[in-house]
């Protein structure tokens, strides 16, 4: 059993886009219900976040952009970007409390009372300094990393969302205190269009960005091969004092927006490996955030299983949430994955 906090407020429900938009807070409510049905909160502590100040938010976002979001929040119409992230009345407050939950997770880890803190309401890795993107208004991943630098000299971000963590990469591009690892689907015309292996950071941050672009059709076997061959040796070499895990559910084979083929079994293997690395190198300090995931049932099951693993309460009650099978990559896809692994190893001197 590990001392684990679950950051939650019912205000999270307010961050849910209208009409037929794929981002709905149903994912979070389904996850909480699955945990409650298994009495998880007898072992996991519920903690309510409080809104952070604008001053804290300005560590990663410009004052002009924050004012723009507040204006659109009052207006309640139009978009915060080029058409992916609609404005609605109250979106500023809805986004702020979600980001505040991730900051609260960091505060709990820093305080030492908890070694694991979970905010499934976070994981907004597309937001940039001056604009929203990909359903993300404010970037809590980069914010938590920047705040964490006050207490930890080496932080690792491991992002397994199906889309590239472009906002996080951009905001921390020259930061040598944060190792940024993103595993994501990559092919022409797929959002956000970045995340190839040659994007490695700039200035002091050169070498601290590691992108693992995966082809459509990547199953559990190919995904875990890339993870074992790249992520594990990189983390072992870096030895972070804190790990931030973004657990977007859109790498699942049933996700409507991404064409990766991870099953719940693959997700559990990855999360268990990250959990082990946190205890081996980071004194157990692990923050789990949410992210994407547009098949709500699959995402809720992924998050519930992952939380149980991190909290040390995974048992037969959670086994019932698994997909009935693991997934395999085709021979063609495996060849592409191996080629990508070889390129990454050469760039980052992992041979």
């Amino acid at each position: 059993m590990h001392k684990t906090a679950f950051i939650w407020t019912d205000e999270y429900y307010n961050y849910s886009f209208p009409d037929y938009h794929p981002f709905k807070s149903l994912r979070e409510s389904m996850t909480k219900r699955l945990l409650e049905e298994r009495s998880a909160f007898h072992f996991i502590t519920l903690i309510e976040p409080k809104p952070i100040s604008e001053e804290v938010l300005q560590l990663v976002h410009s004052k002009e952009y924050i004012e723009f979001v507040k204006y659109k929040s009052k207006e309640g119409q139009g978009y915060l970007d080029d058409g992916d992230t609609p404005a609605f009345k109250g979106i500023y407050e809805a986004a702020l409390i979600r980001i505040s939950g991730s900051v609260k997770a960091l505060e709990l880890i820093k305080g030492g009372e908890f070694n694991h803190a979970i905010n499934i309401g976070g994981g907004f890795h597309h937001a940039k300094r001056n604009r929203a993107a990909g359903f993300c208004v404010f970037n809590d991943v980069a914010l938590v990393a920047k705040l964490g630098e006050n207490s930890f000299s080496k932080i690792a971000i491991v992002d397994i969302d199906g889309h590239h963590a472009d906002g996080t990469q951009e905001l921390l591009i020259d930061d040598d205190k944060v190792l940024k690892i993103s595993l994501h689907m990559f092919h022409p015309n797929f959002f956000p269009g970045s995340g190839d292996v040659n994007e490695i950071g700039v200035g002091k941050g050169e070498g601290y960005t590691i992108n693992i672009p995966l082809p459509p059709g990547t199953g559990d076997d190919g995904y875990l091969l890339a993870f074992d061959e790249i992520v594990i040796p990189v983390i072992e070499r870096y030895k972070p004092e804190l790990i931030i895990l973004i657990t977007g559910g859109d790498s699942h084979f049933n996700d409507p927006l991404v064409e990766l083929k991870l099953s719940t079994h693959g997700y559990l293997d990855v999360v268990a490996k990250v959990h082990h690395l946190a205890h081996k190198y980071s004194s157990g300090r692990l923050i789990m955030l949410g992210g994407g995931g547009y098949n709500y049932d699959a995402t809720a099951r992924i998050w519930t299983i992952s939380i149980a693993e991190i909290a040390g309460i995974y048992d037969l009650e959670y086994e019932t949430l698994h997909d009935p099978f693991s997934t395999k990559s085709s021979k063609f896809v495996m060849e592409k994955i191996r080629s990508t692994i070889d390129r990454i190893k050469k760039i980052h001197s992992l041979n």
Side-chain angles (χ1 to χ4, degrees):
M1 199 80 65
H2 308 297
K3 191 69 172 172
T4 303
F6 184 87
I7 317 302
W8 183 264
T9 169
D10 286 350
E11 291 179 55
Y12 281 179
Y13 295 138
N14 297 335
Y15 195 95
S16 192
F17 293 100
D19 302 325
Y20 297 105
H21 196 284
F23 194 108
K24 304 293 184 188
S25 59
L26 181 62
R27 312 169 314 157
E28 288 81 0
S29 62
M30 291 173 68
T31 302
K32 188 164 181 283
R33 179 176 57 79
L34 289 174
L35 290 166
E36 288 170 340
E37 288 173 351
R38 288 156 179 79
S39 302
F41 297 113
H42 289 170
F43 312 101
I44 298 171
T45 305
L46 280 164
I47 304 285
E48 186 172 352
K50 302 298 181 186
I52 60 171
S53 68
E54 281 189 40
E55 183 180 10
V56 172
L57 199 55
Q58 286 179 43
L59 284 174
V60 293
H61 295 292
S62 68
K63 183 174 179 58
E64 293 76 16
Y65 172 62
I66 295 168
E67 290 301 318
F68 169 72
V69 175
K70 290 166 73 174
Y71 170 77
K72 297 298 287 184
S73 182
K74 292 178 180 177
E75 184 184 49
Q77 59 185 359
Y79 287 87
L80 299 175
D81 55 12
D82 295 329
D84 283 335
T85 313
F88 57 82
K89 286 187 179 296
I91 192 171
Y92 171 78
E93 292 79 8
L96 187 68
I97 195 64
R98 292 257 190 153
I99 299 324
S100 301
S102 298
V103 173
K104 185 63 178 180
L106 174 65
E107 291 172 353
L108 294 172
I109 296 290
K110 286 167 55 178
E113 183 181 354
F114 297 90
N115 50 7
H116 307 326
I118 295 161
N119 182 31
I120 59 171
F124 296 100
H125 62 175
H126 294 306
K128 312 293 200 305
R129 179 167 178 79
N130 292 304
R131 66 183 181 92
F135 320 154
C136 304
V137 178
F138 299 129
N139 194 313
D140 58 316
V141 184
L143 179 58
V144 167
K146 294 302 291 185
L147 289 169
E149 290 178 6
N150 295 325
S151 301
F152 306 109
S153 60
K154 292 193 290 184
I155 298 169
I157 296 171
V158 179
D159 193 322
I160 62 172
D161 189 278
H163 297 89
H164 177 233
D166 58 327
T168 304
Q169 176 176 297
E170 182 177 305
L171 287 164
L172 303 173
I173 193 72
D174 59 353
D175 195 320
D176 62 348
K177 293 183 179 180
V178 183
L179 176 68
K180 301 155 285 287
I181 305 171
S182 178
L183 300 94
H184 49 269
M185 193 174 89
F186 183 83
H187 73 94
N189 302 317
F190 180 69
F191 180 87
S194 55
D196 207 351
V197 298
N198 57 354
E199 298 169 31
I200 63 171
V202 300
K204 291 191 302 181
E206 185 173 332
Y208 289 88
T209 293
I210 299 177
N211 284 302
I212 307 174
L214 299 167
T218 296
D220 293 339
D221 52 354
Y223 200 100
L224 288 165
L225 177 66
F227 192 92
D228 290 344
E229 292 283 321
I230 303 298
V231 180
I232 290 178
V234 165
I235 293 289
E236 288 179 335
R237 182 172 69 183
Y238 186 64
K239 298 178 176 59
E241 297 174 2
L242 168 68
I243 298 178
I244 304 168
L245 174 65
I246 294 81
T247 322
D250 49 3
S251 295
H252 189 266
F253 65 81
N254 266 340
D255 192 86
L257 301 187
V258 182
E259 297 173 62
L260 296 176
K261 287 174 50 180
L262 263 188
S263 73
T264 56
H265 302 281
Y267 268 101
L268 177 60
D269 284 348
V270 169
V271 171
K273 289 173 189 288
V274 174
H275 186 201
H276 172 74
L277 290 167
H279 280 283
K280 186 175 181 180
Y281 296 109
S282 312
S283 300
R285 289 185 288 263
L286 175 62
I287 295 173
M288 174 188 154
L289 304 178
Y294 308 101
N295 180 301
Y296 310 134
D297 170 74
T299 300
R301 289 186 292 114
I302 289 162
W303 287 350
T304 303
I305 290 166
S306 299
I307 292 165
E309 158 60 30
I310 289 170
I313 59 173
Y314 183 85
D315 60 17
L316 288 176
E317 284 195 272
Y318 295 92
E319 284 281 345
T320 62
L321 297 175
H322 271 297
D323 298 319
F325 52 82
S326 297
T327 56
K328 292 190 176 297
S329 312
S330 69
K331 182 179 178 181
F332 172 73
V333 167
M334 286 298 288
E335 287 173 354
K336 293 185 73 172
I337 293 169
R338 289 192 179 97
S339 175
T340 297
I341 289 171
D342 289 342
R343 291 170 62 203
I344 296 169
K345 284 184 173 181
K346 185 175 181 180
I347 290 169
H348 292 281
S349 303
L350 293 171
N351 289 317

